[in-house]
Amino acid sequence: MRVATWNVNSVRTRVGRVVDWLVREDVDVLGMQEIKCKPEQFPVEAFEAAGYTVEAHGLNQWNGVAFASRLPMADVTRDFPGQPGFLKGQEGPDLPVEARAIGVTVEGVRLWSLYVPNGRELGDPHYTYKLDWLAQLADRTTEWLQAEPDVPLALMGDWNVAPFDEDVWDVRVFEGATHVSEPERAAFRAFEERGLQDVVRPLVPTGYTYWDYKQLRFPRNEGMRIDFVMGSQAFADVTVGATIHRDERKGDAPSDHVPVSVDLDLDTVLDDDRPMIF
């Protein structure tokens, strides 16, 4: 099964590119971020014509996450328990929850498409919101792993964190900025401490997943690695391949992010359950 994540930066703007890529790369399940539309505005017809069903979670023209799958999706969950809310200029426990997380189960694999808050600037309320959001998700991750340790679990999407200096083209440019601050990196490491691992980096050690539209960032390869597939041990055990699809940043009207895909050998799970025959 081929699973992928992609911050598409407006699915209605890039529906042709996304569907073409799904078919061309033989992708079974795609988690999308920044769909920037409500479910009723999602261009479902184009996906269905290519053999995919869609589960979308969007509240307005901002944020939004979704899955497209040609395999049945079950246990669809919009938002995770305890997910913090945010409203600019407001504080308190009852802030609106943004459309940043959706979970589905496909072929026994639990997948989450996540759009982690950007953080904006150090000291901005959005930065505090980002750290709280990640902390709450880490706590839920612990609960999920404890409840179902043998279920392959992956949290994938736009994490808006560059965990290592080499994940940005020049860390000196980011001094005093978000994405590389120690609290953000510590929040990312917390998921590894809880039992997840980056299943792509061992197979694709180098490469960026995002290049800003400004200042010729892509032609200069001034990018960032901020899109990840963080998998449980059960997920890592069935991961047999991974690709950062850099060429999708080329051509007409690309997203500023590129897809990241992983290949799973689910027969490995089946083999473990079969009786030994001597």
Side-chain angles (χ1 to χ4, degrees), residues 237-260:
D237 287 344
V238 297
T239 299
V240 295
T243 305
I244 296 175
H245 298 263
R246 188 180 188 277
D247 284 351
E248 288 307 306
R249 186 58 175 79
K250 301 176 181 178
D252 295 332
S255 171
D256 43 5
H257 295 251
V258 296
V260 179

Side-chain angles (χ1 to χ4, degrees), residues 59 79 83-88 90 92-99 129:
L59 303 175
D79 309 324
Q83 183 175 325
F86 181 81
L87 183 62
K88 185 177 180 179
Q90 302 294 321
D94 299 319
L95 300 176
V97 175
E98 298 179 307
Y129 164 55

Side-chain angles (χ1 to χ4, degrees), residues 204-221:
V204 190
T206 61
Y208 302 135
T209 65
Y210 164 86
W211 297 260
D212 199 328
Y213 292 123
K214 301 174 183 177
Q215 302 179 13
L216 298 175
R217 293 295 189 207
F218 183 67
R220 294 173 177 172
N221 198 32

